[in-house]
Amino acid sequence: MTSLHSLARINRLLIVDDEPDILTLVAHDLEPIADHIHAAKNGQEALYLLEALPIDVVVCDLQMSPIGGIELLTRARALRIETPFVFLTGFGHKESLAQLLNLGAAKFLEKPYDPETLRCYVREAGDTQPARKLLL
């Protein structure tokens, strides 16, 4: 029996990473649960997309240049953009975890990540959005 949670799809997903190979990998891993996947290669592009499109969930690298993940989330919140963020990082920045959670990050996952865990985290973050689209 399939649960409704496993059928939940993300309408618009934004992936932010300054490494093109990681953008491609994450998009591939999340394709089964997302209708539209947008990619940004830096925080500036991500901020533009967040202002221009109704993004449901952001999957974001923590360490990027020139705008890192924490600064991107800070700027998004300052603009009253409440989209849930799921953070990925290749660095064990445990001290960043408290800051991310204080800013309202939904989840934090270290690279290399398990694709099914990432899909679960993204679905959970998407479930916090008011109007969830279910595949029936």
Side-chain angles (χ1 to χ4, degrees):
M1 178 179 215
T2 305
S3 70
L4 283 178
H5 181 72
S6 67
L7 295 175
R9 293 188 55 84
I10 304 302
N11 185 24
R12 289 191 185 272
L13 176 67
L14 174 60
I15 302 169
V16 189
D17 202 301
D18 56 356
E19 295 181 48
D21 291 344
I22 300 296
L23 277 175
T24 301
L25 177 66
V26 174
H28 173 73
D29 290 340
L30 294 176
E31 192 173 33
I33 66 164
D35 294 327
H36 306 284
I37 298 177
H38 303 276
K41 64 180 183 251
N42 59 53
Q44 194 69 31
E45 283 183 17
L47 206 52
Y48 171 79
L49 289 170
L50 282 166
E51 289 182 284
L53 298 171
I55 301 294
D56 295 308
V57 178
V58 176
V59 176
C60 185
D61 187 24
L62 183 60
Q63 299 294 319
M64 297 180 294
S65 181
I67 297 174
I70 292 173
E71 187 176 348
L72 173 60
L73 180 57
T74 301
R75 289 184 184 190
R77 295 303 186 247
L79 293 169
R80 300 194 190 292
I81 297 170
E82 297 299 323
T83 304
F85 276 64
V86 174
F87 279 93
L88 296 175
T89 184
F91 302 93
H93 286 246
K94 301 287 186 208
E95 63 277 1
S96 299
L97 180 58
Q99 189 176 3
L100 290 169
L101 293 175
N102 285 338
L103 289 168
K107 295 285 184 176
F108 183 92
L109 191 60
E110 288 188 22
K111 298 175 193 171
Y113 62 87
D114 172 61
E116 188 54 42
T117 300
L118 178 59
R119 285 189 288 271
C120 180
Y121 282 7
V122 169
R123 279 187 187 115
E124 287 175 9
D127 283 347
T128 65
Q129 292 295 88
R132 295 304 320 136
K133 179 179 177 183
L134 297 179
L135 177 66
L136 299 176

